[in-house]
Amino acid sequence: MSAPVELIDVTPRDGLQNEATVLSPTARAELVRRIIATGARRIEAVSFVRDDLVPAMAGAEEVLAGIGPHVGVTIAGLVLNARGMQRAADAGVDEVNFVIPATDAFAQANQNSSVAGLMTELGAAARVAADAAIPLTVTIAVAFGCPFAGVVPPDAVARIAKHVTGSFGVAELALADTIGVATPWQVRETFHAVAAETTVPLRAHFHDTRRTALANVFAALGEGVQRFDASLAGLGGCPFAPGAAGNVAMEDLAWMLDRAELKHGISVSAALEAGRAVAAQLGVAPRSAIAGAGPFPR
Amino acid sequence: MSAPVELIDVTPRDGLQNEATVLSPTARAELVRRIIATGARRIEAVSFVRDDLVPAMAGAEEVLAGIGPHVGVTIAGLVLNARGMQRAADAGVDEVNFVIPATDAFAQANQNSSVAGLMTELGAAARVAADAAIPLTVTIAVAFGCPFAGVVPPDAVARIAKHVTGSFGVAELALADTIGVATPWQVRETFHAVAAETTVPLRAHFHDTRRTALANVFAALGEGVQRFDASLAGLGGCPFAPGAAGNVAMEDLAWMLDRAELKHGISVSAALEAGRAVAAQLGVAPRSAIAGAGPFPR
């Protein structure tokens, strides 16, 4: 396994969206610049959702304007529907990530729609993306477990994956363990089932809620997945999973990959420093293991 | 993978040895009885070390006397030298676990000896164990990384494993990630190298210091290892690894195995309850993920 691993930094989006402290668009643009300095070349920086519903994500356009020139770096924005996609296109984001949950119950809670309804939205969004020549990725949320519907079977995810990637010109498909319940066996089985239905590159988005995130990364790598979302200081969370810890911490993941001599381009020490800085801005302690224990060897 | 997994509860030994609050032998015997009620059938309950050096482990004989009859349950004691072995034999423990570090630097710090010197001690201990008909297991400490000597190469561990299991009538060999630095790739490689040198059953002892413990369990299972140490509430630590988190939490590991339908005999809810109780006695918060996030599905 010598090909490079791509680590996508989702701190400014997933990392911030569920925190009590709201950072200004200026502070979020500054955060993106700090993240670029850690070595990240792909960053999910904004979310085109309603400002009144998710105040922490308000002002996506201002964040993008504040980032400024970013040669060689892809700035992605998350969207939940066709309207968000239009905003993303107008704002000139480099890449759009459309979320479609694996279960109707989560689709209803998160996006006030059904999975079928979101497929229609995705079709409309895909046309906007194509017209604007913006690469479109799709993330299947709660792909391993749903707080309302329970465990999600691999074949259910594979069916959605087949539909999504077969119909809408999608550049990449992510499976998200939104509430942090996946096990490495399930990760292996689900990515295997999905890979049988599509040829688009796959990405994994793991939360470390139950300490399985690094195990899940290891299992996904074993299935040929080489793209992983991560968040500085393990920030992040899901509003529908109370008590849930955040995304897998960038510094933990980068450290583990370093020890395995798998190249990924992120500096652990820079990620640690950036993670401490953003955690301090939010008034929380860093949630990464490496922030507490330090790297090894030192 | 349908054969049962054996989870060895090390809470009363590794879980308590590094805590500021010292529990009395009576409280430690009561803890062992609570652990039996979680379903554990093998428990590392005591350590035959000098009371003045490790006050938390003082009174091993009293703990054993306090446990009382325990049909179907194996009560193990840890020893660091031949003198400890003699005490263990006199106390009538069911099984003895002799620790031999992978590096001279750690052997010096932990046991005031060299690896070669401890091999001699192990030989003497093995004769005592054989005379007393007590099964003897050996744990290779810092088998993945040493706070003084750095990363430990798999072939160095395999050499020690070959010597230990070829010379001393050892019933089982454990590899311990004493300071929590192992990665799943390293675990795979090291257990693979050791399995090539010995036919005795292998056990793994992982700390979750850098959140790799469950990944390491997954990797070890893939190498055919089916015996794992764990500690309620993730208690435990190493005096030579400041800031280090404890053992992999029994409730986290049991939960993950439950989700994978791998049988192990521990009740997650009983382990959670027992972990909360012992953490409360110690005046610390439970360090397991499941204590914070709860099992899934609920």
Side-chain angles (χ1 to χ4, degrees), chain A residues 137-298:
Chain A
T137 70
V138 170
T139 293
I140 302 181
V142 294
F144 302 91
C146 168
F148 313 113
V151 175
V152 176
D155 62 342
V157 181
R159 272 196 304 274
I160 295 173
K162 182 178 184 177
H163 188 189
V164 162
T165 59
S167 311
F168 304 116
V170 164
E172 179 192 74
L173 180 70
L175 305 187
D177 184 20
T178 309
I179 60 169
V181 298
T183 68
W185 294 269
Q186 186 184 17
V187 164
R188 196 161 62 184
E189 198 183 343
T190 306
F191 272 101
H192 194 81
V194 166
E197 299 291 355
T198 183
T199 55
V200 307
L202 301 179
R203 190 175 93 240
H205 177 101
F206 295 129
H207 282 233
D208 203 18
T209 315
R210 288 169 182 81
R211 305 264 170 88
T212 55
L214 294 180
N216 293 339
V217 167
F218 178 71
L221 282 163
E223 288 298 316
V225 178
Q226 295 179 298
R227 304 172 182 208
F228 297 92
D229 289 353
S231 178
L232 293 170
L235 293 171
C238 169
F240 304 107
N247 292 273
V248 63
M250 179 63 83
E251 48 270 46
D252 293 350
L253 177 50
W255 170 80
M256 182 178 83
L257 296 174
D258 277 352
R259 282 226 57 219
E261 294 179 8
L262 294 171
K263 294 199 185 310
H264 53 77
I266 305 291
S267 155
V268 170
S269 58
L272 253 175
E273 194 185 339
R276 289 202 171 107
V278 62
Q281 279 183 296
L282 294 168
V284 301
R287 294 168 199 148
S288 70
I290 294 297
F296 174 90
R298 287 168 201 280

Side-chain angles (χ1 to χ4, degrees), chain A residues 1 144-147 150-151 179-186 188 208-212 214-215 218-219 221 242-243 252 255-257 259-260 262 287-290 292-298, chain B residues 1 144-147 150-151 179-186 188 208-212 214-215 218-219 221 242-243 252 255-257 259-260 262 287-290 292-298:
Chain A
M1 206 161 0
F144 302 91
C146 168
V151 175
I179 60 169
V181 298
T183 68
W185 294 269
Q186 186 184 17
R188 196 161 62 184
D208 203 18
T209 315
R210 288 169 182 81
R211 305 264 170 88
T212 55
L214 294 180
F218 178 71
L221 282 163
D252 293 350
W255 170 80
M256 182 178 83
L257 296 174
R259 282 226 57 219
L262 294 171
R287 294 168 199 148
S288 70
I290 294 297
F296 174 90
R298 287 168 201 280
Chain B
M1 208 162 355
F144 303 92
C146 168
V151 174
I179 60 168
V181 298
T183 68
W185 293 269
Q186 186 185 16
R188 197 161 62 184
D208 203 18
T209 313
R210 288 169 183 82
R211 304 263 171 90
T212 55
L214 294 180
F218 178 71
L221 281 163
D252 292 350
W255 170 81
M256 183 179 82
L257 296 173
R259 282 226 56 218
L262 294 171
R287 292 167 201 150
S288 69
I290 294 296
F296 175 88
R298 288 172 199 280

Side-chain angles (χ1 to χ4, degrees), chain B residues 103-192:
Chain B
T103 70
D104 280 322
F106 198 87
Q108 202 61 51
N110 198 53
Q111 282 147 278
N112 197 27
S113 184
S114 62
V115 173
L118 289 173
M119 287 289 185
T120 305
E121 288 286 320
L122 174 57
R127 286 188 292 276
V128 175
D131 287 349
I134 298 174
L136 176 67
T137 70
V138 169
T139 293
I140 302 180
V142 294
F144 303 92
C146 168
F148 314 112
V151 174
V152 176
D155 62 342
V157 181
R159 273 196 304 274
I160 296 174
K162 183 178 184 178
H163 187 191
V164 162
T165 59
S167 311
F168 305 115
V170 164
E172 181 192 73
L173 180 71
L175 305 187
D177 184 21
T178 309
I179 60 168
V181 298
T183 68
W185 293 269
Q186 186 185 16
V187 164
R188 197 161 62 184
E189 198 183 344
T190 307
F191 272 102
H192 193 80

Side-chain angles (χ1 to χ4, degrees), chain B residues 76-104:
Chain B
L78 183 135
V79 306
L80 300 180
N81 49 39
R83 190 174 49 182
M85 178 69 228
Q86 189 58 58
R87 257 183 83 192
D90 293 344
V93 78
D94 302 328
E95 179 180 288
V96 164
N97 182 25
F98 190 101
V99 174
I100 188 157
T103 70
D104 280 322

Side-chain angles (χ1 to χ4, degrees), chain A residues 80-107:
Chain A
L80 301 179
N81 49 41
R83 191 173 48 183
M85 178 67 229
Q86 188 58 58
R87 258 181 83 192
D90 293 345
V93 78
D94 302 328
E95 179 181 287
V96 164
N97 182 24
F98 190 102
V99 174
I100 189 157
T103 70
D104 281 322
F106 198 87

Side-chain angles (χ1 to χ4, degrees), chain B residues 5 108 278:
Chain B
V5 176
Q108 202 61 51
V278 64

